[in-house]
Amino acid sequence: MREILLKLEGLTKAYPGVVANSGVDLAIQKGEVHALLGENGAGKSTLVKTIYGLVAPDAGHMTFEGKPFRPADPRAARAVGIAMVFQHFSLFEALTVVENIALGMEHPPTMRALATQIKAVSQTYGLPLDPQRIVGDLSAGERQRVEIIRCLLQDPKLLIMDEPTSVLTPQEVRILFATLRQLRAQGTAILYISHKLEEIRALCDQATILRLGKVVANCDPQQVSAKEMAEMMVGSALQAPKKQTVTEQGAVALTLSQLSAPAPQAFGTPLRDINLTVRSGEVLGIGGVAGNGQEELVAALSGEMRVAANMIQLYGQAVGALPPNARRKLGLCAAPEDRNGHAAAPDLSLTENALMTADARMGLSRHGFINRPQARSFASAVIKRFDVRTPSTDILARALSGGNLQKFVIGREILQAPKVFVVNQPTWGVDAAAAAAIRQAILDLAEAGAAVICISHDLDELMEISDRFAALNGGRLSPPSPTASLSLDQIGLMLGGAHDMEVAHVKA
Amino acid sequence: MDINPVLLLAAVIVASTPILLAAIGELVVERAGVLNLGVEGMMITGAVCGYIAAHETSSATLGFAGAALGGAGVAALFAFLTLVLLTNQVATGLALTLFGLGLAAMVGQGYATTTVVSVPKLPIPGLSDIPGLGRIFFTHDAIVYLSIVLVLAVWGFLRFSRNGLILRAIGENHEAAHALGYHVRRVRFFALLFGGACAGLGGAYISLVRVPQWVDNITSGAGWIALAIVAFASWKPGRLVTGAYLFGGVTALQLNIQATGLAIPVEYLSMSPYIATILVLVLLSGGRAPGSLGKTFHASR
């Protein structure tokens, strides 16, 4: 057996009302890629934050290279050789690449020397990066490179990666894996957090599975199937959504013709000349790396961002210049990505949140006065139909867990029986069981005759539910193709990784 | 009466200095991610502390030192409220402005008819003998020179130093800076002390040099102008100087025009500095605010 680098014993951390980690044992060997698996809220993040010195454990202890290890802050963790790439990039958008990297180092050299070093490391690991660019202008994949290079410059003994592939194209994932294998060959241990099971099977040597803060299993991911791992994570058998094969083509529901719009804010993406037709009864999947115009497209479709009237046509009626509620009345409903603050107002109750988008179609107010009983009964209907776990309709939206609130905001739109439904990242940050329920609801809606546009970073999700697939890249939409005819490689190229990839030469 | 361009330009610099001082302090505060709307209160506290200290000690130097301490004191209160008790920055800033105005009126009551030592001019040897330019730029008191040095120092600090980079990073994304192990609250506390001290100096420059007397509400909105200039200058020191001197310039010019007895109503002339400053800075602007500006930082989890 190889040498153990980091050992955790009986690690426990409780927050008011919830035990995030309870008696967690974990051992990571040198030169091993170790997967940490679990649902949302299983305690993965808390565990790695403890290792990285951001969270102080209540009980238990850690040893690093045989010595007791109790980092007071991230600096202490970095000092012994632990580096971390965060799930939500901890980068400073208005600063340059080299400034960002300097901030992650204890004793950075001069900016010029550091820029040279960055170029050298990015060459060695096949991660091309210009040190002088402003981070706000970089793609998600490039931003991740900044984080990785920041870690590599410290020559880490243990590299922690929190869901690194959730925002990458398949090609970028391949480059990342090549880099990680190269690091492993050099003896670096990697703690890899993900819930993409196929990736873990492709990359990792060992897996530790957490459920509700406890270690429920250790396994060798090469030896067990993805389905078995998923069931260990969830603790029960999973059902995949059922998809009916579409036999006949419905009427044209939504037409986008030459939809263009300038970027609504700094570091946004302009929409460029988008043409699209969606028929009733079909699910159109739109993939793309984050920041390629997804939010802007949803804003244009929902009416948050007004465009020329003829650019968007709903059953032949020009609606591009109409505000959101007028579009809702006509049957075009949208659920934006960010549930806390965009799709839902965190400090309002579920009833009030239901009222906000459903008033136009469901008539929840009269003469400007809210019809509370009716609004409440609509909210209860959503809660009941979509299995939202909440004690009552008067609970604040922020009090719900991510998955529950997501079920609520999607259900709220679906129960209005929209003719066209636009949804962005329907299952982002939602656990597997809730995600399956949401996908099934989207499929049922389409089967009932609605046209659905589903925008997602999760390609597996789009493959599963969409009839046709199109990709957003730099604000342009590729022509849609039937999903069944596409291979993962073709999709990767559609996502427009191509121009980004040519410069990447990975030395084995 | 004619307008003497040399005296006018020298007057511009004097009229601009209080705003420049307050604005450069506020620029550092905002680059660290704190929106301090209490600048006016810190200025007037500095004005009254400076006046009293100078009057009691008969020393202009001690006067300005007292002003810096007074401004920093109010800033420390602001820091305690917003960084430790996590109060809302906007409401706290407004409250401290009102508090400062009231406090200054109260402690300044007995000083309304007094006089104060004059602040000596320090002509720079050699340079002050240049015809015209010497009178405009190099025949001022130490605070004018200090204000220019401060602007240059802040520019260099933000652009070239490691601590300046950390301060910008904290203003840009305090969560990320915290995750990297930087001390968000500590940095913001010191930025606020600096900002408060600068605002205090600016206030004292009004009560000790420009007026020089104690009257109620002596700063008359200069702190608000300084705040506006920081935002309109896109948080960049170079543009800040442009904005501050432009405001001071139009102020001095309109006073001169009033003195010539031109047939323009005084009210229009009094408005003109504000309008000109806003117009020009709107045309110049296009910058992006620090990402965490005005957001309360709470190191949760």
Side-chain angles (χ1 to χ4, degrees):
Chain A
M1 197 168 133
R2 280 178 295 184
E3 208 180 326
I4 285 178
L5 180 69
L6 175 72
K7 199 171 163 71
L8 315 184
E9 280 168 305
L11 220 58
T12 299
K13 174 73 190 176
Y15 292 116
V18 57
V19 180
N21 289 146
S22 154
V24 173
D25 297 333
L26 182 74
I28 301 171
Q29 297 169 10
K30 283 188 178 161
E32 153 184 277
V33 183
H34 193 115
L36 190 58
L37 274 166
E39 296 271 75
N40 291 94
K44 294 171 298 185
S45 291
T46 306
L47 189 64
V48 294
K49 281 180 178 168
T50 310
I51 299 173
Y52 196 55
L54 281 167
V55 165
D58 299 334
H61 65 273
M62 302 188 269
T63 50
F64 192 82
E65 295 188 306
K67 289 184 220 97
F69 173 61
R70 201 180 175 91
D73 59 13
R75 285 169 193 232
R78 285 200 294 267
V80 300
I82 297 177
M84 178 158 171
V85 175
F86 290 89
Q87 176 183 12
H88 303 289
F89 302 140
S90 60
L91 293 175
F92 306 94
E93 292 208 334
L95 306 185
T96 63
V97 169
V98 58
E99 285 175 334
N100 266 284
I101 289 176
L103 281 165
M105 302 171 78
E106 292 309 314
H107 304 287
T110 63
M111 287 296 175
R112 196 169 304 162
L114 185 58
T116 320
Q117 252 179 296
I118 291 168
K119 277 192 187 140
V121 172
S122 68
Q123 288 279 316
T124 315
Y125 291 96
L127 303 164
L129 199 61
D130 176 358
Q132 300 306 336
R133 285 186 65 193
I134 301 282
V135 166
D137 298 332
L138 301 181
S139 74
E142 288 171 312
R143 286 180 197 208
Q144 189 181 54
R145 281 179 213 162
V146 179
E147 292 247 11
I148 295 174
I149 288 176
R150 174 154 83 185
C151 293
L152 294 184
L153 281 172
Q154 301 165 36
D155 240 339
K157 294 174 184 145
L158 173 65
L159 179 63
I160 303 172
M161 305 202 79
D162 194 355
E163 303 213 5
T165 59
S166 54
V167 294
L168 303 185
T169 62
Q171 279 85 352
E172 285 176 317
V173 169
R174 219 171 288 159
I175 295 176
L176 174 69
F177 281 15
T179 307
L180 295 182
R181 290 197 182 102
Q182 196 180 341
L183 280 169
R184 170 171 62 185
Q186 292 166 2
T188 308
I190 296 164
L191 182 59
Y192 189 92
I193 301 170
S194 180
H195 51 230
K196 294 195 182 168
L197 302 166
E198 288 304 335
E199 280 178 4
I200 283 170
R201 296 197 43 184
L203 182 74
C204 301
D205 309 310
Q206 264 299 317
T208 297
I209 297 168
L210 288 180
R211 193 191 322 142
L212 300 174
K214 293 196 176 85
V215 174
V216 291
N218 278 296
C219 64
D220 178 348
Q222 325 275 342
Q223 306 295 322
V224 294
S225 73
K227 188 161 180 292
E228 283 171 285
M229 282 197 283
E231 287 172 2
M232 285 191 259
M233 267 163 65
V234 182
S236 63
L238 276 181
Q239 277 189 327
K242 290 184 289 288
K243 173 141 186 68
Q244 305 284 322
T245 41
V246 182
T247 44
E248 63 211 79
Q249 294 245 307
V252 172
L254 183 77
T255 309
L256 306 184
S257 46
Q258 297 180 330
L259 170 63
S260 300
Q265 73 227 358
F267 303 133
T269 312
L271 296 176
R272 299 171 217 250
D273 210 13
I274 293 178
N275 291 297
L276 185 67
T277 308
V278 192
R279 291 172 180 277
S280 65
E282 101 170 316
V283 178
L284 176 81
I286 296 183
V289 179
N292 269 295
Q294 286 91 340
E295 282 178 42
E296 289 81 1
L297 181 58
V298 172
L301 288 170
S302 71
E304 276 176 67
M305 180 168 75
R306 245 58 75 70
V307 293
N310 275 322
M311 287 180 177
I312 303 175
Q313 288 177 21
L314 184 66
Y315 287 99
Q317 186 179 355
V319 298
L322 295 181
N325 267 333
R327 294 191 197 191
R328 287 196 186 108
K329 269 192 187 139
L330 294 170
L332 171 57
C333 292
E337 169 180 20
D338 181 12
R339 51 186 165 258
N340 257 318
H342 196 170
D347 287 316
L348 294 185
S349 73
L350 294 179
T351 305
E352 288 160 329
N353 269 295
L355 182 89
M356 279 191 297
T357 75
D359 185 27
R361 276 181 86 71
M362 309 304 287
L364 303 181
S365 66
R366 273 186 62 179
H367 310 305
F369 288 95
I370 295 169
N371 185 341
R372 280 237 163 224
Q374 213 169 326
R376 198 170 288 133
S377 77
F378 177 71
S380 332
V382 174
I383 289 167
K384 191 150 171 260
R385 163 79 173 72
F386 288 88
D387 187 29
V388 180
R389 313 269 164 85
T390 169
S392 94
T393 55
D394 297 324
I395 291 290
L396 297 186
R398 71 157 74 247
L400 263 60
S401 73
N404 272 316
L405 185 55
Q406 187 69 17
K407 283 194 272 187
F408 183 81
V409 297
I410 301 235
R412 175 182 68 179
E413 305 303 325
I414 288 181
L415 274 204
Q416 298 178 40
K419 292 176 189 155
V420 176
F421 180 43
V422 180
V423 58
N424 191 9
Q425 314 305 342
T427 59
W428 186 81
V430 168
D431 61 43
I438 289 171
R439 285 173 198 155
Q440 187 61 56
I442 291 173
L443 289 175
D444 292 347
L445 180 70
E447 206 178 321
V452 179
I453 296 182
C454 176
I455 302 175
S456 179
H457 303 318
D458 186 345
L459 288 178
D460 297 331
E461 169 170 278
L462 293 178
M463 293 298 96
E464 194 175 303
I465 65 172
S466 52
D467 302 298
R468 288 190 301 154
F469 175 86
L472 262 178
N473 178 27
R476 289 178 206 282
L477 190 71
S478 73
S481 310
T483 311
S485 71
L486 288 171
S487 72
L488 209 58
D489 272 328
Q490 281 170 305
I491 288 173
L493 290 173
M494 282 170 82
L495 295 181
H499 67 274
D500 221 4
M501 293 301 116
E502 285 164 355
V503 274
H505 304 292
V506 181
K507 291 171 196 156
Chain B
M1 196 178 115
D2 282 336
I3 294 173
N4 177 341
V6 171
L7 288 182
L8 173 67
L9 289 174
V12 164
I13 291 184
V14 172
S16 310
T17 298
I19 291 165
L20 184 60
L21 279 167
I24 196 67
E26 177 65 10
L27 183 131
V28 171
V29 170
E30 292 195 12
R31 285 300 279 269
V34 181
L35 184 61
N36 171 17
L37 294 187
V39 181
E40 176 78 5
M42 292 169 200
M43 273 188 98
I44 199 145
T45 307
V48 77
C49 292
Y51 190 89
I52 293 174
H55 179 82
E56 299 295 343
T57 63
S58 298
S59 155
T61 312
L62 288 178
F64 280 109
L69 280 179
V74 180
L77 181 59
F78 181 89
F80 175 72
L81 290 170
T82 58
L83 302 179
V84 180
L85 301 183
L86 305 179
T87 59
N88 179 292
Q89 293 178 9
V90 170
T92 310
L94 291 174
L96 284 188
T97 285
L98 297 174
F99 167 76
L101 290 171
L103 180 78
M106 186 181 78
V107 300
Q109 252 172 6
Y111 294 88
T113 53
T114 58
T115 54
V116 73
V117 286
S118 64
V119 180
K121 294 240 187 289
L122 288 178
I124 297 181
L127 294 174
S128 61
D129 297 333
I130 307 171
L133 291 180
R135 179 73 190 83
I136 297 170
F137 291 111
F138 303 112
T139 316
H140 288 290
D141 49 71
I143 300 297
V144 169
Y145 305 134
L146 175 70
S147 70
I148 302 292
V149 171
L150 271 180
V151 172
L152 287 173
V154 165
W155 174 77
F157 169 76
L158 290 176
R159 196 179 166 90
F160 300 114
S161 80
R162 168 98 176 143
N163 286 331
L165 176 61
I166 292 170
L167 183 134
R168 282 190 286 146
I170 284 172
E172 178 60 28
N173 185 345
H174 52 212
E175 305 285 352
H178 174 68
L180 286 173
Y182 294 110
H183 303 281
V184 176
R185 290 202 281 189
R186 189 185 302 169
V187 169
R188 289 189 169 165
F189 180 70
F190 285 116
L192 274 166
L193 284 191
F194 175 77
C198 285
L201 282 179
Y205 197 78
I206 299 178
S207 66
L208 294 181
V209 180
R210 277 201 68 195
V211 175
Q213 227 181 32
W214 177 252
V215 282
D216 267 357
N217 195 18
I218 193 170
T219 49
S220 62
W224 296 111
I225 290 290
L227 259 169
I229 285 177
V230 173
F232 282 128
S234 318
W235 296 269
K236 293 190 176 98
R239 290 183 177 187
L240 187 98
V241 177
T242 317
Y245 279 147
L246 182 87
F247 181 81
V250 183
T251 306
L253 181 67
Q254 63 95 3
L255 285 173
N256 272 274
I257 294 175
Q258 281 187 31
T260 60
L262 214 68
I264 304 174
V266 176
E267 289 78 8
Y268 287 111
L269 289 172
S270 310
M271 282 180 221
S272 59
Y274 302 90
I275 293 174
T277 309
I278 290 172
L279 269 183
V280 170
L281 290 171
V282 165
L283 294 178
L284 281 178
S285 70
R288 186 174 159 276
S292 293
L293 182 62
K295 291 185 190 152
T296 300
F297 172 71
H298 184 239
S300 58
R301 278 178 268 195

